[in-house]
Amino acid sequence: MLKIKTRILTIEDIAADKDKIEAAAKLLRDGEVVAFPTETVYGLGANALDPEAVKKIFTAKGRPGDNPLIVHIADIGQWSGLAEAIPESAQALARAFWPGPLTIILKKREVVPHEVTAGLDTVAVRMPSHPVARSLIAAARVPIAAPSANFSGRPSPTTARHVLEDLEGRIPLILDGGRADVGVESTVVDMAREVPVLLRPGGITREMLEQVLGRVEVDPGIMSPIREDRPVPSPGMKYKHYAPKAPVTVFRGSEDRIRLAIDREARRQQRWGKKVGILATDDNKDFYTAGIVRSMGSRARPADLAASLFALLREFDELGVDTILAEGVDPHDEGLAVMNRLARAAGFHFIDV
Ligand code: TXA
Ligand code: MG
């Protein structure tokens, strides 16, 4: 792939000059890709109605062509142009959680190109809340297809620097909007089925969805590997994803057993000359006697754990650790998203203690 110059615009640049957003929006209208901040993670956007532009996303990311993209809108009116029929239950979700970290899947309209949906007859739509994302999409005046702006298989980017690390020389522009608040990708819920199905947990938790919808099924692919004998509900589930370079092991069980087992394993690996990273929580971080310890935050605030997870996985890569030992957390509220991302980073390598 030909190397191109990647420009970065800071939040100050953007705030000082309204034309900057307009210029970025014009790039999008002209069929280019632009990386931009959202409240979840950074996205790599292109005009969702332009198949050639959408193909550039796949090339820049090295993304498999059978993994569909989420379409981002700035105005609720854009939704009905993309999705066939919008049932009352889906509208209730949108009223409750948009703009915000929720993606809703419905039957697609003809205009949505194959390149976006990877040939599926459904389309995933989300209205982000980040002000830079909102003004960019509004200024583009077209819906924007955007996966996370990481190189395929790397942890999703929560800062503009992460995007640059992965995609420098591959994309023309990054809008820097500071650190992404939520830190994990949006919750994905499939509303094209009889019963709503949670396909990817995120900042809008299962508990929050249930308050609006009543019952929500949780796809088994969230916490265990996809079985070969059943159809894949969401193509993204097939891929290992979110992986740092070092192998990850997730320890599950009671907190005191987790920390004992991790400490023992860290000491053992260190004796073999291995550099060990421990992905800990505030509650246990002072307990460890070996390894490089980084805390995701307090177990009492699972949203904090989610917010720091990907940045810490990248930090362990930079430190060049040989292995990462991660504390499992309670799979409730935002903890479900944390466990889902940890499971996938680990290739579902759990140790139950
Ligand atoms: O927070 C987010 O959602 C971020 C920001 C940029 O908005 N975007 C993001 O996109 O995480 P991506 O491409 O990394 O993840 C999209 C996920 C994939 O797992 C994909 O398989 C699934 O959504 N998906 C997209 N369209 C789908 C569809 N029609 N049916 C089932 N799954 C779908
Ligand atoms: Mg992604």
Side-chain angles (χ1 to χ4, degrees), residues 57-80:
I57 293 178
F58 286 87
T59 310
K61 280 185 56 106
R63 181 178 175 107
D66 65 347
N67 196 2
L69 307 178
I70 295 171
V71 181
H72 296 66
I73 58 176
D75 185 293
I76 195 84
Q78 292 175 293
W79 198 12
S80 53

Side-chain angles (χ1 to χ4, degrees), residues 61 63 148 150 156 241:
K61 280 185 56 106
R63 181 178 175 107
S148 48
N150 50 287
S156 289
H241 257 225

Side-chain angles (χ1 to χ4, degrees), residues 260-278:
L260 273 170
I262 289 181
D263 193 55
R264 198 180 312 127
E265 182 61 16
R267 276 191 308 202
R268 199 166 68 92
Q269 299 251 10
Q270 211 157 279
R271 272 201 302 277
W272 292 344
K274 295 267 195 262
K275 196 166 173 181
V276 181
I278 299 180

Side-chain angles (χ1 to χ4, degrees), residues 40 63 67-68 70 72 105 122 124 126 147-148 185-186 200 234 236:
T40 57
R63 181 178 175 107
N67 196 2
I70 295 171
H72 296 66
I105 294 176
T122 51
R126 132 167 154 86
S148 48
E185 307 84 349
S186 61
R200 182 173 73 181
S234 179

Side-chain angles (χ1 to χ4, degrees), residues 205 207 302 329-337:
T205 64
E207 292 82 353
V329 302
D330 286 339
H332 298 120
D333 301 306
E334 293 86 349
L336 183 62

Side-chain angles (χ1 to χ4, degrees), residues 36-151:
F36 62 97
T38 85
E39 69 280 17
T40 57
V41 299
Y42 276 68
L44 182 62
N47 178 354
L49 304 178
D50 176 351
E52 291 310 312
V54 169
K55 281 186 199 156
K56 290 185 186 170
I57 293 178
F58 286 87
T59 310
K61 280 185 56 106
R63 181 178 175 107
D66 65 347
N67 196 2
L69 307 178
I70 295 171
V71 181
H72 296 66
I73 58 176
D75 185 293
I76 195 84
Q78 292 175 293
W79 198 12
S80 53
L82 300 163
E84 186 73 54
I86 304 176
E88 171 49 33
S89 53
Q91 288 178 30
L93 281 182
R95 277 195 302 274
F97 304 119
W98 279 359
L102 177 69
T103 295
I104 302 174
I105 294 176
L106 287 171
K107 283 267 171 305
K108 86 173 187 83
R109 278 195 191 279
E110 197 64 43
V111 288
V112 184
H114 270 250
E115 285 75 6
V116 170
T117 63
L120 298 176
D121 62 354
T122 51
V123 62
V125 178
R126 132 167 154 86
M127 189 195 292
S129 65
H130 194 291
V132 173
R134 286 177 66 83
S135 48
L136 178 67
I137 301 163
R141 300 193 301 273
V142 288
I144 300 297
S148 48
N150 50 287
F151 196 78

Side-chain angles (χ1 to χ4, degrees), residues 296-351:
M296 296 181 277
S298 163
R299 284 172 180 267
R301 287 189 303 276
D304 292 1
L305 310 177
S308 57
L309 176 62
F310 286 144
L312 291 177
L313 291 178
R314 281 181 181 258
E315 189 183 338
F316 280 135
D317 269 352
E318 273 173 32
L319 291 165
V321 300
D322 299 302
T323 190
I324 297 170
L325 309 178
E327 288 182 20
V329 302
D330 286 339
H332 298 120
D333 301 306
E334 293 86 349
L336 183 62
V338 172
M339 284 304 277
N340 167 258
R341 304 314 191 272
L342 276 177
R344 318 209 50 193
F348 300 98
H349 184 217
F350 294 111
I351 291 186

